[in-house]
């Protein structure tokens, strides 16, 4: 049992210095997977508007919504991951990337 604990703690220690980059990757990948759905929903709402209005709305969406999500979600995800503790952090990171891969694969098959 001590060997497993030691291995899990060692795995977690490899990830801790890179946790901000890991959180960034998780947030940005989720945005890449689900951003098209949000863009489509906004497009349905502004479909009949003038070209300039549509353009301004999409610029605002990109700057405000996506920018704010990146700005606030990355530190939040990092803090949430740190709450896992030194024993489970490595498992959490590996599981999160496997889940993201599964989500991306399913979304790519839907088209």
């Amino acid at each position: 049992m001590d060997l497993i604990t030691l291995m899990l703690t060692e795995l977690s220690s490899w990830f801790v210095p890179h946790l901000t980059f890991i959180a960034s990757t998780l947030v940005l990948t989720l945005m890449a997977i689900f951003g098209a759905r949000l863009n489509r929903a906004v497009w349905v709402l502004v479909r009949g508007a003038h070209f300039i209005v549509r353009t301004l709305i999409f610029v605002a969406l990109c700057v405000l919504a996506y920018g704010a999500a990146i700005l606030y979600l990355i530190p939040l995800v990092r803090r949430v991951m740190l709450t896992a503790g030194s024993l489970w952090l490595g498992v959490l990171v590996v599981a999160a990337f496997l889940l993201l891969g599964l989500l991306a694969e399913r979304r790519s098959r839907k088209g």
Side-chain angles (χ1 to χ4, degrees):
M1 189 64 170
D2 288 334
L3 179 63
I4 295 172
T5 304
L6 181 65
M7 289 172 57
L8 288 175
T9 305
E10 182 67 25
L11 177 66
S12 296
S13 71
W14 292 343
F15 291 126
V16 170
H18 309 287
L19 215 48
T20 301
F21 297 116
I22 292 169
S24 300
T25 304
L26 293 173
V27 169
L28 294 173
T29 303
L30 282 171
M31 290 178 76
I33 292 171
F34 295 110
R37 182 180 286 177
L38 178 62
N39 287 345
R40 252 190 313 265
V42 171
W43 174 253
V44 168
L45 293 173
V46 299
R47 175 175 38 207
H50 189 273
F51 171 75
I52 295 173
V53 173
R54 285 193 320 253
T55 303
L56 289 174
I57 288 173
F58 276 100
V59 167
L61 174 71
C62 291
V63 170
L64 299 175
Y66 293 143
I70 291 168
L71 188 66
Y72 293 110
L73 284 179
I74 290 172
L76 178 68
V77 169
R78 185 181 187 280
R79 281 194 305 268
V80 167
M81 288 171 46
L82 281 173
T83 61
S86 62
L87 185 62
W88 295 107
L89 178 65
V91 175
L92 177 67
V93 169
V94 171
F97 278 108
L98 288 174
L99 180 64
L100 275 181
L102 181 67
L103 282 172
E105 178 66 24
R106 287 189 179 181
R107 294 286 300 157
S108 72
R109 290 181 186 248
K110 285 184 180 180

PDB file of all heavy atoms in Angstrom, residues 46 49-58:
ATOM      1  N   VAL A  46     -29.207  36.378 -33.727  1.00  0.00           N
ATOM      2  CA  VAL A  46     -28.895  37.612 -34.462  1.00  0.00           C
ATOM      3  C   VAL A  46     -28.963  37.429 -35.972  1.00  0.00           C
ATOM      4  O   VAL A  46     -28.522  38.301 -36.717  1.00  0.00           O
ATOM      5  CB  VAL A  46     -27.502  38.162 -34.058  1.00  0.00           C
ATOM      6  CG1 VAL A  46     -27.465  38.506 -32.600  1.00  0.00           C
ATOM      7  CG2 VAL A  46     -26.403  37.205 -34.443  1.00  0.00           C
ATOM      8  N   ALA A  49     -30.313  40.348 -38.070  1.00  0.00           N
ATOM      9  CA  ALA A  49     -29.745  41.683 -37.840  1.00  0.00           C
ATOM     10  C   ALA A  49     -28.824  42.084 -38.995  1.00  0.00           C
ATOM     11  O   ALA A  49     -28.388  41.247 -39.797  1.00  0.00           O
ATOM     12  CB  ALA A  49     -28.976  41.710 -36.536  1.00  0.00           C
ATOM     13  N   HIS A  50     -28.529  43.361 -39.043  1.00  0.00           N
ATOM     14  CA  HIS A  50     -27.626  43.906 -40.061  1.00  0.00           C
ATOM     15  C   HIS A  50     -26.226  43.314 -39.865  1.00  0.00           C
ATOM     16  O   HIS A  50     -25.831  42.935 -38.772  1.00  0.00           O
ATOM     17  CB  HIS A  50     -27.596  45.436 -39.939  1.00  0.00           C
ATOM     18  CG  HIS A  50     -26.876  46.108 -41.068  1.00  0.00           C
ATOM     19  ND1 HIS A  50     -25.526  46.311 -41.037  1.00  0.00           N
ATOM     20  CD2 HIS A  50     -27.325  46.600 -42.252  1.00  0.00           C
ATOM     21  CE1 HIS A  50     -25.158  46.916 -42.166  1.00  0.00           C
ATOM     22  NE2 HIS A  50     -26.241  47.104 -42.909  1.00  0.00           N
ATOM     23  N   PHE A  51     -25.465  43.268 -40.950  1.00  0.00           N
ATOM     24  CA  PHE A  51     -24.119  42.694 -40.926  1.00  0.00           C
ATOM     25  C   PHE A  51     -23.239  43.337 -39.859  1.00  0.00           C
ATOM     26  O   PHE A  51     -22.514  42.644 -39.136  1.00  0.00           O
ATOM     27  CB  PHE A  51     -23.470  42.830 -42.310  1.00  0.00           C
ATOM     28  CG  PHE A  51     -22.020  42.476 -42.327  1.00  0.00           C
ATOM     29  CD1 PHE A  51     -21.620  41.147 -42.269  1.00  0.00           C
ATOM     30  CD2 PHE A  51     -21.044  43.457 -42.368  1.00  0.00           C
ATOM     31  CE1 PHE A  51     -20.288  40.808 -42.267  1.00  0.00           C
ATOM     32  CE2 PHE A  51     -19.703  43.125 -42.376  1.00  0.00           C
ATOM     33  CZ  PHE A  51     -19.319  41.798 -42.323  1.00  0.00           C
ATOM     34  N   ILE A  52     -23.275  44.643 -39.747  1.00  0.00           N
ATOM     35  CA  ILE A  52     -22.418  45.341 -38.779  1.00  0.00           C
ATOM     36  C   ILE A  52     -22.827  44.973 -37.351  1.00  0.00           C
ATOM     37  O   ILE A  52     -21.966  44.745 -36.497  1.00  0.00           O
ATOM     38  CB  ILE A  52     -22.466  46.868 -39.013  1.00  0.00           C
ATOM     39  CG1 ILE A  52     -21.853  47.188 -40.381  1.00  0.00           C
ATOM     40  CG2 ILE A  52     -21.758  47.622 -37.904  1.00  0.00           C
ATOM     41  CD1 ILE A  52     -21.991  48.636 -40.794  1.00  0.00           C
ATOM     42  N   VAL A  53     -24.112  44.880 -37.103  1.00  0.00           N
ATOM     43  CA  VAL A  53     -24.600  44.502 -35.771  1.00  0.00           C
ATOM     44  C   VAL A  53     -24.168  43.075 -35.446  1.00  0.00           C
ATOM     45  O   VAL A  53     -23.687  42.796 -34.333  1.00  0.00           O
ATOM     46  CB  VAL A  53     -26.136  44.652 -35.690  1.00  0.00           C
ATOM     47  CG1 VAL A  53     -26.676  44.118 -34.380  1.00  0.00           C
ATOM     48  CG2 VAL A  53     -26.535  46.099 -35.891  1.00  0.00           C
ATOM     49  N   ARG A  54     -24.342  42.167 -36.402  1.00  0.00           N
ATOM     50  CA  ARG A  54     -23.913  40.775 -36.187  1.00  0.00           C
ATOM     51  C   ARG A  54     -22.426  40.714 -35.898  1.00  0.00           C
ATOM     52  O   ARG A  54     -21.979  39.988 -34.996  1.00  0.00           O
ATOM     53  CB  ARG A  54     -24.230  39.921 -37.419  1.00  0.00           C
ATOM     54  CG  ARG A  54     -25.666  39.574 -37.568  1.00  0.00           C
ATOM     55  CD  ARG A  54     -25.867  38.479 -38.604  1.00  0.00           C
ATOM     56  NE  ARG A  54     -25.038  38.597 -39.783  1.00  0.00           N
ATOM     57  CZ  ARG A  54     -25.460  38.966 -40.985  1.00  0.00           C
ATOM     58  NH1 ARG A  54     -26.727  39.260 -41.165  1.00  0.00           N
ATOM     59  NH2 ARG A  54     -24.636  39.031 -42.003  1.00  0.00           N
ATOM     60  N   THR A  55     -21.641  41.457 -36.652  1.00  0.00           N
ATOM     61  CA  THR A  55     -20.191  41.459 -36.462  1.00  0.00           C
ATOM     62  C   THR A  55     -19.830  41.984 -35.080  1.00  0.00           C
ATOM     63  O   THR A  55     -18.993  41.392 -34.384  1.00  0.00           O
ATOM     64  CB  THR A  55     -19.508  42.304 -37.551  1.00  0.00           C
ATOM     65  OG1 THR A  55     -19.877  41.784 -38.828  1.00  0.00           O
ATOM     66  CG2 THR A  55     -18.009  42.285 -37.392  1.00  0.00           C
ATOM     67  N   LEU A  56     -20.463  43.071 -34.671  1.00  0.00           N
ATOM     68  CA  LEU A  56     -20.180  43.637 -33.344  1.00  0.00           C
ATOM     69  C   LEU A  56     -20.575  42.676 -32.226  1.00  0.00           C
ATOM     70  O   LEU A  56     -19.870  42.560 -31.219  1.00  0.00           O
ATOM     71  CB  LEU A  56     -20.890  44.977 -33.182  1.00  0.00           C
ATOM     72  CG  LEU A  56     -20.335  46.129 -34.015  1.00  0.00           C
ATOM     73  CD1 LEU A  56     -21.204  47.362 -33.875  1.00  0.00           C
ATOM     74  CD2 LEU A  56     -18.893  46.431 -33.625  1.00  0.00           C
ATOM     75  N   ILE A  57     -21.678  41.984 -32.408  1.00  0.00           N
ATOM     76  CA  ILE A  57     -22.107  41.017 -31.394  1.00  0.00           C
ATOM     77  C   ILE A  57     -21.118  39.864 -31.295  1.00  0.00           C
ATOM     78  O   ILE A  57     -20.753  39.433 -30.196  1.00  0.00           O
ATOM     79  CB  ILE A  57     -23.535  40.522 -31.690  1.00  0.00           C
ATOM     80  CG1 ILE A  57     -24.515  41.661 -31.392  1.00  0.00           C
ATOM     81  CG2 ILE A  57     -23.874  39.278 -30.874  1.00  0.00           C
ATOM     82  CD1 ILE A  57     -25.937  41.375 -31.797  1.00  0.00           C
ATOM     83  N   PHE A  58     -20.629  39.367 -32.418  1.00  0.00           N
ATOM     84  CA  PHE A  58     -19.669  38.270 -32.371  1.00  0.00           C
ATOM     85  C   PHE A  58     -18.311  38.722 -31.846  1.00  0.00           C
ATOM     86  O   PHE A  58     -17.624  37.967 -31.158  1.00  0.00           O
ATOM     87  CB  PHE A  58     -19.545  37.581 -33.732  1.00  0.00           C
ATOM     88  CG  PHE A  58     -20.593  36.551 -33.934  1.00  0.00           C
ATOM     89  CD1 PHE A  58     -21.715  36.822 -34.687  1.00  0.00           C
ATOM     90  CD2 PHE A  58     -20.484  35.303 -33.343  1.00  0.00           C
ATOM     91  CE1 PHE A  58     -22.705  35.885 -34.858  1.00  0.00           C
ATOM     92  CE2 PHE A  58     -21.470  34.349 -33.510  1.00  0.00           C
ATOM     93  CZ  PHE A  58     -22.587  34.638 -34.263  1.00  0.00           C
TER      94      PHE A  58
END
